[in-house]
Amino acid sequence: MPLRVLPGSLEKVKTHCNLCAMQCGFKLWVEPQNNLVIGLEGDEAFPTTHGLMCIKGSHSYKQVHHKDRILKPLVREKISDNFREASWEEALHFCAERIKTVQAMYGIPSMGVYGGGALTNETVYLLGKWTRLVLKTPNIDYNGRFCMSSAAAAQNKAFGVDRGLPFPVSDIQEAQFILLIGSNIAECLPPLMDIFSEAKAKGAIIFLVDPRKTESFRVADRHLAIRPGSDIAFAMSLLHVIVKKNWVDQEFIRNHTKNFDAVKEAVKDCTPDWAAKLTGLTTDDIERTARLLAKVGRTMVLSSRGPEQQSRGVDTVLSFINLVLATGKIGRPGCGFGTLTGQGNGQGGREHGQKADQLPGYRKIDNPVHRKEIANVWGVDEKEIPGPGLSAYELLCAVVKKEIRGLFVMGSNPVVSAPNAHPITEAFKELDFLAVADFFPSETAQLAHIIFPVTVWAEELGTMTNLEGRVLLREKAVEPSGDVKPDWEILCSLANELGHPQGFQFKGIEDVFEELRRATKGGVADYFGITYEKLRREKGVAWPCPSEEHPGTPRLFENKKFWHADGKAVFHPVHYRPITEEPDAAFPYLLTTGRLLHHYLSGNQTHRIPDLEAHAREPKAEIHPSLANTMALKNNEKICLSNRRGRIIVSVEISENIRPDTIFVPFHWGGDQCVNILTNPALDPVSRMPEFKACAVRIEPVV
Ligand SMILES: Nc1nc2c(c(=O)[nH]1)N[C@H]1C(S)=C(S)[C@@H](COP(=O)(O)OP(=O)(O)OC[C@H]3O[C@@H](n4cnc5c(=O)[nH]c(N)nc54)[C@H](O)[C@@H]3O)O[C@H]1N2
Ligand SMILES: Nc1nc2c(c(=O)[nH]1)N[C@H]1C(S)=C(S)[C@@H](COP(=O)(O)OP(=O)(O)OC[C@H]3O[C@@H](n4cnc5c(=O)[nH]c(N)nc54)[C@H](O)[C@@H]3O)O[C@H]1N2
Ligand code: SF4
Ligand SMILES: [Mo]
């Protein structure tokens, strides 16, 4: 942070970062008389992060008054026209008319809605309600389908509840052995590096399981360079060893779980030799990991997108959960399974009804009791609520197939972040109607007929739920710039314009939260006992919180009680299956994708900040020296990576830190640098998660 002279009238507004799920506590430096945010500092009083932050967060305030902000509604008839500025009245009318036309011509379900995990709980809640009651279409899903869906489905199956971390971040410090799988905390959740260091200082042993030896290795003791997509074989062989050596916790299994015998049977042949061939790890590594998991007192298994963004993501996560259940390492501090949520509101974003199969409070849209509960809150007949809709990639495929003819996107940039991006981008150009709500002109917004200019986080209140299930209040620091409006207000105005004002008349965002509280009452993610006043007082409250007197629930499985009706956790047998697209003679290398420290997701928010862009101006393909030698490649040389779905141009970065059979490319760029042109859209059968983490490619010269 550069030193600056602080003017006398500076105010410090306590709030949180707008980017990832750490939701670091910030104090924004504000000049109220000039309505300016001029800097920030960490908030040491915020219990999750104690004033820590990362470089992206420290520059995030530069988004607020950025010259690229969209400050007026922009409309155009056809996408070959230039945008023109419009009044809100005209823009809302234009949008409503186009929606009506699409639905009149092609039917109600031909309108789709695509949300995001950066939106506040209040917006997410209204987006689901608006889609189902005003547009009446079942087709709403969101970018979190590409993020947390496999871990969420697995946790629901095993525990009956899905809260990324079922314990507070601080519990990580109590672990004595941590198996960190496919998670690059150093670049993606940097404050966790301090927490892991604390654990290490107390003697914890940490194993990092990743095809790359990332910066996160700084806190690890051992790197297991796993072959992309083979985590399931690794986990199954660990359980095989634990069963064979009789290291299982019989008492825990008997008293607190169901179905262990089926799992035992499923791993019967999963020997370390078998797994070593599939994973590229040594039998020694496998046996050592199994021993530590079982024999160390407090062990934790933490995963991120590495093992989850696979077409067997749910089974892979289940196979790791089976390990903590079999060894009884769950339900006490310093133990358990957790998944590290990614987006700012990746957790709340999957609880309040913007998922195709879901209603608020983590209710299920095909459960008659749940439907009735929400119909009562909404004051409608249960029959008025549509059934399940299409999942994110399937929704985008329906655009390609011209079954979806109009799309409303709020808080996502799918032409950069969806797998097999090329046909999707082409199909977006053909949509009868595309509306995008964003504050910067993303690649997706540039294909729209209308862009709604929205507030950035510092310009409006709202709640977010962080990676440990702690609901937080993000305070407003300045008045909105230009002619922009908060997302939730746009939805209410559109409801009005579409002739459905009932249920969308709120005095302010707190009023929306009050309805959300009621809607979640009695649900798995119960926010009923949470109020804005309580959030301010308590610095956040972990759900479930069923009454105003309730302190919240930082630890979900205390006393070894799980969320299924009988209080038991459920083992799920899984079966090994290779990745969908194995390398072959034509496409001999494995491509995996992920993130860099200085950029965020599709890059729409970080490419515009010179201090961040200076560190990473283009995507580089991380390639092992042996592969570089075979192909006679040099550092920084441009190459073309191609496969059955397309080709991209990237620069070479030769690195000892990656497996020789694997190439890593970050996905923060669009256009002909968009790695999602290559990624495999094979979906997990349960979560509908695409296989972002493994596909086959070849290297060609740039011609
Ligand atoms: N700087 C930065 N931080 C972010 C984000 C960002 O875009 N930039 N995004 C946020 C969001 S939304 C998310 S979801 C999180 C994601 O956080 P992470 O999941 O930690 O990030 P990724 O880089 O996608 O993947 C993590 C690691 O998985 C490895 N990997 C690849 N394939 C496999 C595999 O098959 N098995 C295993 N075991 N590992 C594999 C990659 O090499 C990578 O190091 O980060 C959040 N934080
Ligand atoms: N190859 C590959 N692809 C991936 C992944 C991967 O690992 N590899 N990871 C996947 C994951 S985990 C994720 S989370 C997705 C994310 O993919 P995207 O959803 O495309 O991610 P963002 O870049 O955050 O897009 C959010 C957009 O909404 C805008 N925005 C931010 N806040 C708000 C708000 O409050 N309101 C409104 N209206 N707009 C807002 C931003 O400016 C931005 O344009 O990408 C997925 N795609
Ligand atoms: S770790 Fe995440 S929440 Fe914290 S400052 Fe960085 S981007 Fe923001
Ligand atoms: Mo994510």
Side-chain angles (χ1 to χ4, degrees):
M1 175 85 34
L3 279 178
R4 47 170 93 229
V5 181
L6 302 184
S9 65
L10 186 91
E11 269 182 20
K12 295 184 181 180
V13 179
K14 281 197 179 196
T15 183
H16 296 272
C17 182
N18 61 326
L19 298 174
C20 84
M22 286 305 303
Q23 286 294 292
C24 293
F26 280 177
K27 292 184 211 166
L28 281 186
W29 297 353
V30 176
E31 283 179 14
Q33 74 282 20
N34 300 323
N35 197 42
L36 286 178
V37 180
I38 59 161
L40 58 79
E41 67 191 54
D43 176 6
E44 284 172 20
F46 179 58
T48 310
T49 48
H50 305 285
L52 296 170
M53 64 175 99
C54 77
I55 185 163
K56 286 184 308 304
S58 72
H59 290 287
S60 62
Y61 72 94
K62 295 176 183 167
Q63 293 183 31
V64 182
H65 310 294
H66 198 283
K67 64 173 176 39
D68 295 350
R69 283 283 304 273
I70 309 166
L71 296 175
K72 286 279 262 177
L74 299 174
V75 299
R76 57 183 171 185
E77 294 299 321
K78 311 190 288 299
I79 66 161
S80 51
D81 297 343
N82 288 329
F83 279 114
R84 63 185 165 78
E85 291 187 350
S87 67
W88 275 97
E89 201 186 355
E90 188 197 345
L92 292 166
H93 183 70
F94 176 89
C95 182
E97 289 307 309
R98 296 290 286 254
I99 290 174
K100 283 189 214 160
T101 308
V102 165
Q103 292 194 312
M105 285 179 69
Y106 306 107
I108 300 284
S110 68
M111 263 310 295
V113 174
Y114 198 94
L119 305 172
T120 59
N121 290 316
E122 292 82 347
T123 297
V124 163
Y125 169 75
L126 276 189
L127 193 62
K129 182 180 180 187
W130 179 80
T131 304
R132 285 158 182 137
L133 297 189
V134 181
L135 301 191
K136 304 186 195 307
T137 173
N139 292 322
I140 173 169
D141 212 47
Y142 80 123
N143 66 9
R145 181 71 65 176
F146 298 155
C147 181
M148 297 305 296
S149 63
S150 283
Q155 298 219 57
N156 275 324
K157 277 174 167 245
F159 306 133
V161 62
D162 151 42
R163 205 182 78 187
L165 290 182
F167 42 74
V169 159
S170 54
D171 273 16
I172 297 172
Q173 295 169 22
E174 306 308 317
Q176 294 167 308
F177 174 57
I178 305 176
L179 188 61
L180 186 61
I181 315 144
S183 179
N184 185 5
I185 55 170
E187 300 199 62
C188 298
L189 301 164
L192 284 189
M193 289 294 275
D194 279 55
I195 310 277
F196 275 66
S197 299
E198 286 288 325
K200 215 169 150 64
K202 292 190 195 170
I205 302 166
I206 301 172
F207 279 17
L208 177 70
V209 186
D210 193 308
R212 302 182 302 143
K213 192 183 205 174
T214 60
E215 281 294 300
S216 306
F217 184 67
R218 277 191 281 125
V219 290
D221 297 279
R222 180 131 186 85
H223 172 224
L224 305 185
I226 197 161
R227 183 175 195 263
S230 68
D231 302 77
I232 190 166
F234 175 51
M236 291 174 83
S237 67
L238 293 175
L239 190 57
H240 173 95
V241 175
I242 287 167
V243 170
K244 192 155 171 219
K245 305 261 186 190
N246 207 12
W247 289 335
V248 292
D249 183 338
Q250 295 290 1
E251 200 190 319
F252 178 86
I253 293 173
R254 196 173 332 109
N255 295 332
H256 304 291
T257 71
K258 287 199 300 208
N259 211 23
F260 179 59
D261 288 342
V263 167
K264 207 164 122 181
E265 177 63 23
V267 298
K268 164 167 112 271
D269 300 325
C270 301
T271 60
D273 277 328
W274 167 80
K277 289 190 196 85
L278 297 170
T279 57
L281 306 178
T282 63
T283 53
D284 191 47
D285 276 334
I286 294 169
E287 273 157 14
R288 204 161 142 220
T289 311
R291 173 181 291 275
L292 286 164
L293 272 176
K295 292 293 181 188
V296 170
R298 296 187 299 276
T299 70
M300 241 184 214
V301 178
L302 296 174
S303 86
S304 291
R305 302 309 79 74
E308 299 169 12
Q309 290 174 325
Q310 302 182 9
S311 66
R312 274 286 182 196
V314 177
D315 280 357
T316 304
V317 176
L318 281 169
S319 66
F320 283 105
I321 292 176
N322 287 342
L323 287 168
V324 297
L325 292 177
T327 51
K329 307 284 184 188
I330 186 165
R332 50 201 165 94
C335 289
F337 173 85
T339 172
L340 300 165
T341 296
Q343 295 182 87
N345 199 24
Q347 181 67 50
R350 65 184 193 265
E351 298 166 359
H352 303 301
Q354 64 173 336
K355 249 175 133 170
D357 47 2
Q358 193 197 53
L359 289 172
Y362 227 125
R363 289 185 173 85
K364 295 206 173 81
I365 204 161
D366 55 2
N367 177 322
V369 178
H370 292 182
R371 292 174 62 82
K372 208 147 187 55
E373 284 166 343
I374 293 301
N376 285 341
V377 176
W378 288 352
V380 300
D381 192 297
E382 177 262 312
K383 290 194 196 68
E384 280 186 51
I385 302 176
L390 297 168
S391 75
Y393 182 67
E394 289 158 305
L395 183 63
L396 300 173
C397 285
V399 174
V400 177
K401 287 188 254 162
K402 291 192 180 286
E403 289 160 10
I404 294 285
R405 307 295 293 238
L407 193 66
F408 186 94
V409 179
M410 185 167 257
S412 182
N413 188 8
V415 305
V416 176
S417 55
N420 194 18
H422 182 67
I424 292 169
T425 310
E426 291 307 304
F428 268 46
K429 296 178 187 162
E430 301 282 310
L431 273 164
D432 286 58
F433 179 53
L434 176 62
V436 175
D438 208 311
F439 40 77
F440 288 138
S442 68
E443 287 83 348
T444 305
Q446 285 168 30
L447 304 178
H449 298 94
I450 180 161
I451 309 180
F452 287 114
V454 301
T455 46
V456 294
W457 93 113
E459 296 171 332
E460 172 59 318
L461 265 176
T463 63
M464 307 285 281
T465 305
N466 80 354
L467 77 173
E468 51 185 7
R470 185 194 286 260
V471 185
L472 306 165
L473 187 61
R474 259 188 355 201
E475 300 279 1
K476 174 173 172 176
V478 283
E479 290 306 316
S481 321
D483 203 4
V484 308
K485 287 191 193 297
D487 293 293
W488 69 270
E489 246 185 78
I490 297 170
L491 296 173
C492 294
S493 305
L494 278 172
N496 196 35
E497 196 66 39
L498 285 157
H500 197 300
Q502 52 298 12
F504 292 89
Q505 285 163 322
F506 296 96
K507 292 194 286 290
I509 192 164
E510 188 168 357
D511 211 18
V512 183
F513 189 75
E514 288 298 307
E515 187 177 301
L516 179 152
R517 287 178 60 198
R518 284 193 288 118
T520 62
K521 187 174 183 207
V524 172
D526 191 334
Y527 284 42
F528 185 64
I530 305 176
T531 61
Y532 273 26
E533 190 272 325
K534 188 164 169 179
L535 290 178
R536 288 194 171 109
R537 185 165 27 98
E538 305 287 341
K539 304 191 181 74
V541 178
W543 68 256
C545 180
S547 68
E548 283 190 42
E549 304 71 49
H550 194 285
T553 316
R555 289 190 189 85
L556 287 184
F557 310 139
E558 239 162 3
N559 308 320
K560 306 182 175 65
K561 277 254 167 296
F562 300 94
W563 252 241
H564 291 298
D566 57 4
K568 294 195 170 176
V570 183
F571 279 100
H572 288 265
V574 301
H575 300 282
Y576 172 75
R577 199 209 65 199
I579 55 173
T580 318
E581 189 178 73
E582 284 285 358
D584 54 21
F587 302 104
Y589 308 116
L590 275 166
L591 170 72
T592 192
T593 64
R595 292 152 171 82
L596 302 175
L597 175 64
H598 297 93
H599 285 300
Y600 192 63
L601 300 174
S602 72
N604 194 34
Q605 295 179 84
T606 46
H607 290 307
R608 299 170 200 284
I609 310 291
D611 311 74
L612 297 175
E613 186 70 357
H615 294 273
R617 295 189 187 281
E618 55 170 351
K620 298 208 167 168
E622 202 174 317
I623 293 179
H624 191 269
S626 66
L627 174 52
N629 273 342
T630 322
M631 301 289 296
L633 302 175
K634 291 191 203 58
N635 255 328
N636 296 318
E637 173 182 348
K638 291 256 190 268
I639 51 165
C640 169
L641 291 181
S642 73
N643 66 11
R644 296 167 182 91
R645 290 170 291 279
R647 60 203 300 276
I648 62 167
I649 313 275
V650 286
S651 294
V652 172
E653 181 171 76
I654 299 173
S655 162
E656 298 272 356
N657 292 330
I658 188 161
R659 284 174 60 90
D661 59 358
T662 303
I663 300 169
F664 172 86
V665 178
F667 80 102
H668 308 295
W669 284 265
D672 65 2
Q673 296 178 319
C674 177
V675 74
N676 275 324
I677 290 173
L678 304 177
T679 48
N680 185 355
L683 300 182
D684 180 285
V686 174
S687 65
R688 320 310 280 162
M689 166 72 85
E691 195 135 72
F692 285 121
K693 289 295 191 256
C695 70
V697 293
R698 68 174 165 231
I699 301 174
E700 291 168 6
V702 177
V703 281

